[in-house]
Amino acid sequence: MFDKILIANRGEIALRVQRACREMGIATVAIHSTADEDAMHVRLADESVCIGPPRATESYLNVPSILAACEITGAEAVHPGYGFLSENASFAEILREHDITFIGPTPEHIQLMGDKIAAKQTVSDLGIPVVPGSEGAITDDATAERVANEIGYPVLIKAASGGGGRGMQVVRHKNELSTALSTARAEAGAAFGDDVVYMEKFLDKPRHIEIQIVADGKGGAVHLGERDCSLQRRHQKVWEEALSPALNQEQRDRVGGIVANAMADFKYLGVGTIEFLYENGEFFFIEMNTRLQVEHPVTEMITGLDLVQEQIRIADGATLNYTQDDISLQGHAIECRINAENPNTFAPSPGRIEAYHPPGGLGVRIDSGVYTGYRIPPNYDSLIGKLIVFGKHRNECLMRLKRSLDEFVIEGIETTIPLFQRLLGEPDIMNGDYDIHWLEEFLSES
Ligand code: MV4
């Protein structure tokens, strides 16, 4: 096992990884920018290295500086967290060249899943159901028209290098197709430096359901059930739950089994998430994430597994010491993302936290890196913590969430806590009756 791990991230996820390391007896190295000198992840690490100025491209994304920090401290492995370098295949490759272990999948698997066309073809060949659409890239109007006629309107044009919703064009009629294709290609080229696009049937009112998997790179793979992440605003998830209120056990076993078998055949290594759109009882693959995700705690709550410790063991060469039959999904968990934002306009609200009193008690988990007196820097994303609540069943979880939100005190900045209190007054939320458009419709009506 590794003696020392460098954590190439900040905020709550850097702390989350440190906690896993500490329980395994592994020393931790924090890296930080000059804006994060007072951050909790720096204070709690065994060692820390300042790697650059506030701008992320010069610090948390600065590969030469991170390599130097590994060299100076003698770290044997790097945990990338989420965001930043977590899905950067060339970073994983460079670490391999330096004999430092990247705690994550192989560069080849990261690269493949980063290309949305290749990803779709690969998982389809592995037996996973995908959204009907073009076989590969769409380059000319004639092909676009032929494919659109085959799958039927409305269709969606997506960027091959995209993901996260950028550079998508919905096309409802044949006469809009040519313009939409040029617009999509121009936007994709500008956003990703790659103008390759593809086409899918546009699903009107799906839910976003993602399946968590763990695999050992040697053909061992299990699924850990699904998360329902339909409640989003501008492609930013706001509330996630496990399990989905929309699925029954038979559907879960079936799609979970397909995914786990596929990842075993694929010799996938590490944790990963297979994202689906779910509509009218059917699952359609859209993308695979090759990283630990923000919302991983809801899966930990219902499985009892520590996903970060699993990542570390697998990166160290361990095989899974459990099979699908050993995995039991118990109870219900909900995560609310606490952002330093105005709860109505979502304008960022950085600044000094004057008072901080998190909720506690049975079934309540807080993953956060803030404290009273901490000044939230304006340079990074606005996630300052996550409230994760567990209950025996969804109703208990919802009641516990309500009382936890009522206990939560954060003064000096604005947060999204009041938004969650409003959501708990909505019958659709209480009933689990929502799709990917529900939140934005709710926000535009109020
Ligand atoms: C779709 C779709 C409808 N039909 N694909 C948006 C982010 C990207 N990862 C995939 N996205 C979508 N793909 C087809 N064929 C609708 C969306 C979408 C969406 C998906 C998940 C969660 C929220 C969303 C909000 C708007 C659109």
Side-chain angles (χ1 to χ4, degrees), residues 215-221 264 267-269 313-314 316-320:
D216 61 17
K218 303 175 176 88
K267 300 285 193 291
Y268 187 77
L269 183 152
R313 275 193 272 275
I314 290 165
D316 187 46
T319 48
L320 295 191

Side-chain angles (χ1 to χ4, degrees), residues 2 4 6 66-71 74-79 91-103:
F2 311 114
K4 192 186 277 192
L6 181 142
I66 294 169
L67 284 176
C70 290
E71 182 81 13
E76 306 155 79
V78 172
H79 194 299
F91 179 59
E93 178 73 51
I94 289 166
L95 288 179
R96 181 157 71 186
E97 285 162 8
H98 286 78
D99 288 317
I100 299 166
T101 303
F102 176 76
I103 300 174

